[in-house]
Amino acid sequence: MTGVVVAGGGPAAHRLAAGLVRYGYGGAVTVAGAEPRPAYNRALLGSVLDGTLGADRLSLPALPAAVRQLTGVRVTAVDRVRRTVRTGDGHELPYDVLVLATGARPRVPRVPGLTTASGRLAEGVRTVRTAADCRPLPEGPVVVLGGGIRGVESAWALRRNGHEAALVHPADDLMERHLDAVGSTVVAQWLTDRGVTLHLGRRAGQYTRGKVVLDDGQVLAAGTVLLCTGTVAETALVRGSGLEVREGVIVDDRLRTGDPHIHAIGDCAEHAGTVGTTVLKAWEQAEALARILTGRGQPYEPGRPVLRPRTPGKDMVVLPPAGPGPTTGTGETVSLLDRARGRCARLVLRGGRIHEGAVIGSPCAVTAVSRLYTRNTPVPADLLALLTGADGEYAGDGALPEEAVVCHCNNVTSKALKDAWHCGAHDTAALARATRATTGCGSCASVVRELCTAFADDTTAQGARP
Ligand SMILES: Cc1cc2nc3c(=O)[nH]c(=O)nc-3n(C[C@H](O)[C@H](O)[C@H](O)COP(=O)(O)OP(=O)(O)OC[C@H]3O[C@@H](n4cnc5c(N)ncnc54)[C@H](O)[C@@H]3O)c2cc1C
């Protein structure tokens, strides 16, 4: 029996291997990952960058002993006829099923000076993709290239860590793929208030050690240049193998490539025209494939994961368009802007449900709207109350309904957290260990902290009651 070989050692590979064991897969499971450490939660790297989390705290739960886990081992070739893969350390692994979970790599813009003649990043230039990338930055100003979600998060994190930070973005609006112009302006104001210097509508024209020259001739001091310029699905392993690859490796609703023995999940896979870029999607696909490979599976149906950019102290959520179809011009658009308080919202509704949108600056509205979107439930009649967070669904005082999902990554409800608290998990770390809440994208950490306080207050009040 040869079993499943997983090429890649990120969150998708980890969740798949754990799922296969949990669902009683009968064969051997081998995970070969190129990084020198077992899978960790890449989505939490922003917290390493801002100094709130040590890189050693990113680890995902240890895989069951039944899984053979190879670290620092790159899969270098696939022989589809003999059904074997070759590894960089010279071994050959046979498979019945090969799963590609090779993730994505940073996109490096073609700016003179960013890379050396041999194609490596020049001194002082960094990407933000691996735990190794997030080692402490040297003193000195940092220039962030790219104003998408990762760029905004990174600039935010750098300021928290006391770095002088400038952000350069070619579009006039930050996060323009996810926000309208109003939302972008609010986020830009947040960053400016935090001390980030914005250069919007500008490109880096050249880098030499210590400085970035912009396309309008401005010179920015740059102890470090941080590339937040997007990612590219890592498909090198199977390019030229005969499998169909567009942006990612093409898979069908069973997450299967054109070869019935090869599947692909996570950031390297392209399903229904979309390449994954979120850990939620990677985990969703890993879970679906574990079920499929153990004979329990329905075809994979993408869920409705929300994006929660990590800007601690300022909440926002982006709701990507749900399902196919034009994203603008159809449906009813509801928007709200409260510039003075740095908050705004825009929802596109279809059939009384949220199709897409974003909520910025109002934690209560972020929570309430995320729930409505994720569950695809009808919006309440009083939309103004919903968007100002005043509809009472969650008043920020720990009064979440028991069935409310707090941690979307791990599907942990308010009730599960309460039960864990009553079983002795009395702080956020203990609740995380007991329920896995906060160990996904980490964006629920503040809610979990609030709940923790609320549970403690409740217990004290009950104890004090005559
Ligand atoms: C800074 C940052 C913040 C993020 N924040 C969020 C967030 O808040 N929410 C969210 O949902 N998502 C977030 N993401 C995205 C999320 O981390 C990814 O979507 C997720 O990691 C994808 O998981 P994966 O396992 O498919 O790929 P990856 O995490 O990329 O893992 C792939 C692994 O496979 C290895 N590999 C590649 N090729 C080979 C090979 N040939 N052989 C062996 N191993 C190989 C790679 O070295 C890597 O370790 C963030 C990403 C970054 C970088």
Side-chain angles (χ1 to χ4, degrees):
M1 184 178 290
T2 50
V4 174
V5 170
V6 187
H14 177 272
R15 179 97 18 137
L16 172 69
L20 287 171
V21 174
R22 193 169 65 252
Y23 295 133
Y25 179 72
V29 180
T30 304
V31 176
E35 285 186 71
R37 59 184 279 184
Y40 56 90
N41 191 350
R42 204 173 302 286
L44 295 182
L45 282 177
S47 303
V48 178
L49 199 62
D50 78 8
T52 51
L53 205 63
D56 54 325
R57 300 276 309 279
L58 301 177
S59 299
L60 291 167
L63 283 173
V67 177
R68 184 176 170 216
Q69 200 172 186
L70 309 173
T71 52
V73 173
R74 181 171 289 279
V75 177
T76 51
V78 180
D79 183 336
R80 288 174 50 199
V81 177
R82 292 175 55 237
R83 272 192 240 147
T84 59
V85 296
R86 181 158 286 282
T87 60
D89 57 356
H91 290 94
E92 201 168 69
L93 306 172
Y95 65 81
D96 293 319
V97 176
L98 171 64
V99 181
L100 306 169
T102 49
R105 63 187 142 81
R107 188 189 298 277
V108 179
R110 287 190 190 173
V111 174
L114 283 184
T115 51
T116 63
S118 61
R120 301 176 77 87
L121 293 179
E123 207 185 328
V125 181
R126 279 222 203 157
T127 53
V128 192
R129 184 71 197 177
T130 65
D133 290 336
C134 293
R135 63 196 182 280
L137 292 172
E139 295 283 306
V142 182
V143 174
V144 177
L145 299 188
I149 290 182
R150 294 289 98 83
V152 167
E153 287 178 341
S154 297
W156 194 267
L158 290 166
R159 288 300 298 144
R160 187 184 184 284
N161 236 344
H163 285 278
E164 201 181 302
L167 186 153
V168 180
H169 188 49
D172 291 333
D173 297 312
L174 289 169
M175 290 174 57
E176 78 283 2
R177 280 179 50 222
H178 298 294
L179 302 179
D180 63 3
V182 174
S184 296
T185 313
V186 170
V187 174
Q189 192 59 52
W190 285 0
L191 285 170
T192 308
D193 292 347
R194 205 172 163 85
V196 178
T197 314
L198 297 178
H199 299 272
L200 301 179
R202 294 268 70 90
R203 287 174 187 278
Q206 193 177 22
Y207 169 73
T208 45
R209 186 83 178 105
K211 65 177 185 193
V212 170
V213 184
L214 300 187
D215 54 1
D216 63 352
Q218 275 187 86
V219 178
L220 309 182
T224 305
V225 174
L226 211 55
L227 302 182
C228 297
T229 38
T231 54
V232 187
E234 182 53 88
T235 58
L237 182 58
V238 290
R239 284 210 182 256
S241 69
L243 297 182
E244 193 181 355
V245 179
R246 281 182 226 141
E247 252 191 86
V249 181
I250 304 292
V251 291
D252 62 14
D253 288 347
R254 296 181 69 76
L255 298 163
R256 197 170 48 184
T257 67
D259 179 333
H261 295 279
I262 305 184
H263 297 254
I265 54 173
D267 281 10
C268 70
E270 180 173 337
H271 174 261
T274 310
V275 180
T277 52
T278 68
V279 78
L280 296 185
K281 182 167 264 197
W283 278 338
E284 185 183 84
Q285 292 183 346
E287 182 68 22
L289 185 58
R291 289 176 156 271
I292 288 169
L293 294 178
T294 51
R296 312 162 175 255
Q298 301 295 319
Y300 167 63
E301 260 188 63
R304 307 179 116 219
V306 301
L307 305 176
R308 292 288 300 270
R310 194 182 315 278
T311 43
K314 295 283 188 188
D315 271 279
M316 76 171 125
V317 66
V318 173
L319 316 165
T327 57
T328 50
T330 55
E332 178 194 353
T333 301
V334 186
S335 34
L336 172 100
L337 170 64
D338 176 358
R339 204 182 290 280
R341 295 171 69 183
R343 52 186 200 169
C344 67
R346 183 187 65 94
L347 298 181
V348 176
L349 307 177
R350 282 190 191 166
R353 291 172 160 78
I354 301 170
H355 174 66
E356 65 167 309
V359 179
I360 297 172
S362 166
C364 302
V366 162
T367 307
V369 166
S370 300
R371 287 177 59 202
L372 291 168
Y373 172 84
T374 311
R375 295 175 179 188
N376 198 18
T377 41
V379 292
D382 189 348
L383 285 171
L384 185 62
L386 174 72
L387 293 183
T388 53
D391 76 339
E393 210 178 354
Y394 175 51
D397 58 356
L400 268 179
E402 290 206 323
E403 77 287 359
V405 176
V406 176
C407 172
H408 289 275
C409 302
N410 293 301
N411 199 24
V412 183
T413 59
S414 165
K415 178 170 187 322
L417 286 162
K418 191 175 195 171
D419 291 348
W421 197 91
H422 286 294
C423 288
H426 288 172
D427 59 30
T428 317
L431 285 170
R433 278 195 299 278
T435 65
R436 291 170 66 181
T438 75
T439 65
C441 71
S443 59
C444 62
S446 59
V447 179
V448 172
R449 259 195 307 276
E450 281 166 15
L451 284 173
C452 208
T453 311
F455 297 150
D457 291 350
D458 263 10
T459 311
T460 313
Q462 274 165 24
R465 223 165 266 154

